[in-house]
């Protein structure tokens, strides 16, 4: 059996950040689409400001999810490395 003794902190952050980016696309498209749809249905006087807000929301929300997931992945990897160091590692059975 192989033993896991350490996890790469930056590597864990990158993987979690990318996963957060992918997960953040779903609510961004949903809420941004609702905002754009509501803007199109509203009075024409205020539409220009909200078109920009809806578009900005679709772009920024996945980036915010990615940043928060990256930080969470780094913190998780640091905590996991501490626990692995104290417990002697984690046994893994790897197949071929």
């Amino acid at each position: 059996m192989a033993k896991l003794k350490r996890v790469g902190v930056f590597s864990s952050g990158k993987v979690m950040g990318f996963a957060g980016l992918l997960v953040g696309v779903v609510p961004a498209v949903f809420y941004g689409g609702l905002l754009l749809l509501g803007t199109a249905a509203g009075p024409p006087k205020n539409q220009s400001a909200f078109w920009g807000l809806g578009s900005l929301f679709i772009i920024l929300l996945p980036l915010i999810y990615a940043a928060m997931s990256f930080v969470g992945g780094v913190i998780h990897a640091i905590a996991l490395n501490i626990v692995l160091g104290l417990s002697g590692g984690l046994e893994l059975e790897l197949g071929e």
Side-chain angles (χ1 to χ4, degrees), residues 3 12 15 29 31 40 49-50 53-54 57 68-69 79 83 86 92:
K3 197 170 252 197
S12 175
V15 169
V29 169
Y31 291 122
F50 286 107
L53 184 62
F57 196 78
M68 291 186 334
S69 297
V83 170
L86 294 173
L92 299 173

Side-chain angles (χ1 to χ4, degrees), residues 1-92:
M1 282 205 177
K3 197 170 252 197
L4 178 64
K5 295 186 177 185
R6 189 175 180 303
V7 174
V9 174
F10 186 69
S11 177
S12 175
K14 285 191 304 185
V15 169
M16 292 302 294
F18 185 69
L21 180 73
L22 295 178
V23 168
V25 167
V26 175
V29 169
F30 179 73
Y31 291 122
L34 283 178
L35 186 60
L36 292 175
L37 184 64
T39 302
K45 179 177 149 185
N46 298 327
Q47 283 186 353
S48 61
F50 286 107
W51 280 110
L53 184 62
S55 302
L56 185 69
F57 196 78
I58 291 173
I59 294 169
L60 284 183
L61 192 62
L63 297 177
I64 292 169
Y65 268 66
M68 291 186 334
S69 297
F70 176 81
V71 170
V74 167
I75 292 170
H76 183 262
I78 291 170
L80 183 62
N81 284 337
I82 291 170
V83 170
L84 288 175
L86 294 173
S87 66
L90 178 68
E91 290 185 7
L92 299 173

